[in-house]
Amino acid sequence: MGKICSRAFIFAAMMQTSAGTDIALARQYLQEGELVAIPTETVYGLAANALNDEAVIKIFEAKNRPSFNPLIVHCASWQHCLQYVQQVPAIAHELAARFMPGPLTFLLDKQAIIPDLVTAGSSRVAIRVPAHPLTLQLLQQLSFPLAAPSANPFGYISPTTAGHVFNSLQGKIPYILDGGAAAVGLESTIIGFNQQQQVLLYRSGGISAEQIQAVTGQPVLMASDTTESKPATSGRLKSHYAPHTPLYMGNLTELVKQYAHPKMAIISFDKPVQGAVTPYQFVLSPSGNLQEAARNLFAVLRKIDELDAAVIVAAVFPDEGIGRAINDRLSRAVAANKAV
Ligand code: TXA
Ligand code: MG
């Protein structure tokens, strides 16, 4: 018995990881209860059959993710989503019509068929329709939805390319469906609804509060833990999305003086810091486009870890649209400096 277990372990540890655009192969692995990394417009996901407990457990193992942390369920269309949820408010239908497929996730009451493992015991499931042609094609060919968190080790930066996924999950999963670099580059916005059909924001992301308000005609409310019976979402854990290099965020001119170091990395929005003595300056969007800055953020953070920089100083981005999601991710990386 012991021997069989240890062989199985060695086999799992030595799994070959390949990457490509073979949807049939991805489908086959998923049907067999294996994990496949999938491209989405936000970040790459680590997918398994959402209706199969054993397959879902593999996600938690591969990511080192605590099992109290629920997973997002991905479907081919809003119509498909409706099979897995109940008591859908009218406003959710309107938002879905406007933004799905797209980077918006809904927290809705689940149907019993969604395993408790996927929702970490919550009666609500997080559900979305990703806007990536390869993954949509794959979902259309499957008879089940896909549970998929971001395809990074727990707490690290989400992957925006197949290469990022390969670097951290190589040997742990059989296949990466390579859909190129993610178009949005930050995770989806997560919203829920209160009794009055108002929208509660749980995580800022690819769809901005302004865009949601334009549909609902009402302000988006911040979801606070007091409005929730369940613990905060992992994207709301203070220290999340963190590079290994310590990061500080604020007024760049001051930070550059305060943390002066020959291996300092600087992340700015549209202009480099004049006179800074470091080869590691990253301007996320020279043309001042927040969408472009969001798309580049995670790749730049990974790059800086690879360069073995001593410290990162980052600007505060304009507090509007997807700029808020950028500031949210950077401030969580700051909090990670203090995490134990
Ligand atoms: O853009 C995205 O949303 C990407 C792509 C792959 O779809 N996924 C993603 O998954 O960011 P993940 O697991 O890294 O973040 C999902 C967040 C977590 O903070 C989790 O706690 C929260 O969604 N979440 C999932 N299900 C939930 C539930 N039933 N109730 C409350 N929060 C939930
Ligand atoms: Mg994540």
Side-chain angles (χ1 to χ4, degrees), residues 63 65 149-150 152 158 187 203 234 240-241:
K63 266 190 74 112
R65 180 177 173 117
S150 50
N152 49 286
S158 297
E187 298 84 352
R203 178 175 74 182
S234 78
H240 213 65
Y241 311 106

Side-chain angles (χ1 to χ4, degrees), residues 67-308:
S67 61
F68 60 75
N69 212 315
L71 307 174
I72 295 180
V73 170
H74 299 70
C75 297
S77 67
W78 176 235
Q79 278 312 311
H80 280 94
C81 291
L82 293 176
Q83 291 175 251
Y84 305 109
V85 295
Q86 49 190 333
Q87 289 167 338
V88 179
I91 193 69
H93 288 291
E94 278 179 47
L95 288 166
R98 173 69 185 80
F99 296 119
M100 287 193 190
L104 186 61
T105 297
F106 289 167
L107 285 173
L108 291 167
D109 289 339
K110 77 177 187 75
Q111 294 280 1
I113 191 173
I114 297 289
D116 287 339
L117 187 61
V118 168
T119 65
S122 168
S123 58
R124 290 195 304 175
V125 62
I127 199 156
R128 84 178 192 97
V129 182
H132 191 289
L134 275 188
T135 292
L136 280 176
Q137 253 177 281
L138 173 66
L139 283 165
Q140 277 152 12
Q141 293 178 22
L142 293 170
S143 58
F144 46 82
L146 292 174
S150 50
N152 49 286
F154 184 67
Y156 196 56
I157 306 155
S158 297
T160 53
T161 66
H164 294 163
V165 179
F166 189 82
N167 289 345
S168 45
L169 295 178
Q170 146 190 32
K172 292 187 172 178
I173 59 174
Y175 196 62
I176 302 168
L177 192 59
D178 186 350
V184 175
L186 290 181
E187 298 84 352
S188 61
T189 301
I190 302 180
I191 58 171
F193 306 90
N194 66 12
Q195 301 288 352
Q196 291 75 41
Q197 298 222 4
Q198 290 167 304
V199 173
L200 305 177
L201 182 70
Y202 288 82
R203 178 175 74 182
S204 55
I207 299 286
S208 66
E210 291 93 326
Q211 285 173 288
I212 294 170
Q213 279 165 20
V215 173
T216 62
Q218 288 198 36
V220 171
L221 308 174
M222 290 309 194
S224 72
D225 291 349
T226 51
T227 64
E228 274 296 277
S229 56
K230 288 304 291 177
T233 61
S234 78
R236 299 172 75 209
L237 290 177
K238 268 202 168 151
S239 61
H240 213 65
Y241 311 106
H244 299 311
T245 315
L247 186 148
Y248 300 90
M249 182 188 184
N251 179 297
L252 273 187
T253 318
E254 284 168 20
L255 289 178
V256 164
K257 278 191 215 137
Q258 194 178 346
Y259 294 99
H261 190 285
K263 291 186 83 177
M264 164 188 281
I266 303 173
I267 300 179
S268 57
F269 177 29
D270 51 359
K271 295 187 257 335
V273 177
Q274 296 300 325
V277 197
T278 170
Y280 305 147
Q281 284 232 46
F282 297 90
V283 180
L284 295 193
S285 173
S287 66
N289 177 325
L290 282 172
Q291 245 81 27
E292 181 183 34
R295 192 154 56 234
N296 290 331
L297 175 67
F298 286 163
V300 160
L301 289 174
R302 279 176 182 259
K303 179 86 196 157
I304 291 171
D305 271 353
E306 274 167 32
L307 290 167
D308 205 20

